[in-house]
Amino acid sequence: MGHMDEQIVAMINAARKEQQDASGLPKSDLHHDMESESSLELEKGEMELHPLMMLDGERIAFAERPLLNNKISMWLPRTFTEMGEREIELKYPSSYRPPLILTDPTGEIDFSFNLTASELADEELETFIGEMVYILHHTQKLTEWYGDGMCKVYGHRLGYCEFMTPVLNARLYNLNFFTPLRGRALIGSFNCTEEHMDTWRPVAQRMMSTLKILPSEAEGEGTWNR
């Protein structure tokens, strides 16, 4: 399945432009037509991340990692490494692929991060999420929609949505999350095959809840900082 981040942002911008051209005023009338209700375990307090966890019969070590040139950080498994170019071409054949993709040793469980060129202010986040959800419902082959909503993480607002999509001989669980980062839309995405969903869904939700926006003076270079 090709990655959809930049493609969807482009669709949102095009829809906004069409609405503005039609009325002469910027506005947003995009709404999704399915009931959305938060189902995140993090809001129920049923799952906590620990430095060492047993997942699928394997001990997985977690640590906070700086990302995107130290613009953000998140707790991630130490076993996650940057996906190789060959694997990226196979799994994300579309030109709309995120610049940073981290994957487990099997290549079946991914976290990606994309600081898009789309402008986004905090007060626009709820509208942006509504537009994103609308586009997903109308452009993707969704087999299940688990919910969408807003939460607050370390003092900043974050939007999210969860859904299942079909892939070759399987189904893919997706957790997408969005937040403004220095005036631009940051899109993060977790995905895994359905067979790993029961184990990794609550873990992915908890990892999302560890997202920190770092001070600008902390920018630098490093292994995880692309």
Side-chain angles (χ1 to χ4, degrees), residues 8 38 41 45 53 60 72 74-75 99 111 140 148 155 163 172 194-195 215:
I8 292 174
S38 170
E41 298 297 330
M53 299 181 68
I60 305 292
I72 62 172
M74 179 182 284
W75 276 68
F111 239 121
Q140 303 299 316
D148 57 87
F163 53 93
L172 201 68
E194 187 175 18
E195 64 180 302

Side-chain angles (χ1 to χ4, degrees), residues 182-200:
R182 303 183 192 176
R184 293 156 61 190
L186 172 68
I187 301 180
S189 179
F190 171 87
N191 64 66
C192 67
T193 53
E194 187 175 18
E195 64 180 302
H196 296 295
M197 176 182 167
D198 287 346
T199 297
W200 281 94

Side-chain angles (χ1 to χ4, degrees), residues 10 29 53 56 66 78 97 149 162 169 190-191 201-202 209 211 218:
D29 293 324
M53 299 181 68
D56 286 336
R78 289 184 179 273
R97 64 172 63 102
E162 296 182 281
N169 300 322
F190 171 87
N191 64 66
R201 182 186 181 192
S209 76
L211 176 69

